[in-house]
Amino acid sequence: MKDLNKKRIVSTWKGGKTTQLCIVPENASLQERNFDLRISSATIDLECSEFSDFRGYRRYLMKLEGDITLLIDNKSIIIKDDEAFEFMGDEKVISLSKEPSRDFNVIIKKDKKADISIKENEKLNTNKGEYIFSLEKAKINGNEVDKYALYEADDENINLEGRFIYIKILH
């Protein structure tokens, strides 16, 4: 299991701050849009803000804190607890939030898909390139992990104690 928490990069976006948790390949650049995968968490501090354009990518968003409503093509979408909402990166997305909130994002090349699910107190048989994000102070294989920590799995069995987001990239 690879600990990805020392490589976090914090930046500002139109509606708050984004913490990049992981980018693949490691030498890729958000600005150049030359990555295959990016996992991040962002705060939404404004009541109304426009999401960044990620043309050529598929996006998945989950809410971590607060309430998040998205406006896409004049259609209002309430982000539900424990569900990953999928949309294309070139869609014009407006976030409406009456209170500060925090989200979790997975952005991948548009020709790929992700399976994103909540795992709680489970044993997993993982493959290299799968990711585990802790939703609370928890344990992985008996070792304590902080809330909102990200790990990359390898070909291994993992014992999760607590609540996590499990990310599997499909080809």
Side-chain angles (χ1 to χ4, degrees), residues 24 50 70 83 98 171:
V24 176
E50 187 175 337
L70 301 181
E83 285 187 22
K98 290 195 167 72
H171 299 280

Side-chain angles (χ1 to χ4, degrees), residues 1-154:
M1 171 129 347
K2 186 175 176 184
D3 183 340
L4 300 175
N5 299 293
K6 291 174 181 60
K7 296 184 179 182
R8 292 178 176 217
I9 298 172
V10 179
S11 59
T12 301
W13 71 283
K14 299 171 196 167
K17 294 215 179 290
T18 298
T19 301
Q20 178 175 287
L21 304 168
C22 170
I23 195 163
V24 176
E26 282 187 43
N27 62 349
S29 162
L30 172 66
Q31 291 73 23
E32 292 179 34
R33 300 288 199 263
N34 62 352
F35 59 90
D36 296 328
L37 165 72
R38 181 176 186 254
I39 300 174
S40 65
S41 177
T43 61
I44 303 171
D45 299 328
L46 299 177
E47 192 169 317
C48 181
S49 56
E50 187 175 337
F51 279 25
S52 301
D53 184 320
F54 280 96
R55 187 169 312 279
Y57 289 89
R58 182 181 310 272
R59 297 183 70 171
Y60 296 87
L61 180 136
M62 292 181 84
K63 75 173 181 172
L64 297 176
E65 298 170 14
D67 291 320
I68 300 172
T69 300
L70 301 181
L71 193 59
I72 302 175
D73 294 328
N74 294 320
K75 183 179 172 192
S76 182
I77 298 148
I78 296 170
I79 303 301
K80 298 176 185 161
D81 290 340
D82 299 341
E83 285 187 22
F85 177 72
E86 177 183 347
F87 59 101
M88 296 311 291
D90 59 351
E91 291 184 83
K92 183 176 178 178
V93 179
I94 305 292
S95 173
L96 306 172
S97 188
K98 290 195 167 72
E99 60 192 35
S101 55
R102 176 181 294 275
D103 64 22
F104 177 79
N105 303 281
V106 175
I107 305 173
I108 56 175
K109 292 279 190 181
K110 71 178 181 182
D111 60 333
K112 297 187 190 293
K113 285 197 160 251
D115 180 12
I116 302 172
S117 58
I118 300 294
K119 301 293 184 187
E120 187 168 0
N121 300 324
E122 291 186 43
K123 290 184 185 336
L124 301 176
N125 183 4
T126 64
N127 297 301
K128 184 166 180 53
E130 295 176 356
Y131 299 86
I132 298 165
F133 180 77
S134 58
L135 291 171
E136 60 192 14
K137 198 164 180 67
K139 289 184 179 181
I140 299 176
N141 293 335
N143 298 312
E144 286 194 9
V145 296
D146 290 327
K147 182 177 184 177
Y148 300 158
L150 182 69
Y151 298 86
E152 182 179 359
D154 207 337

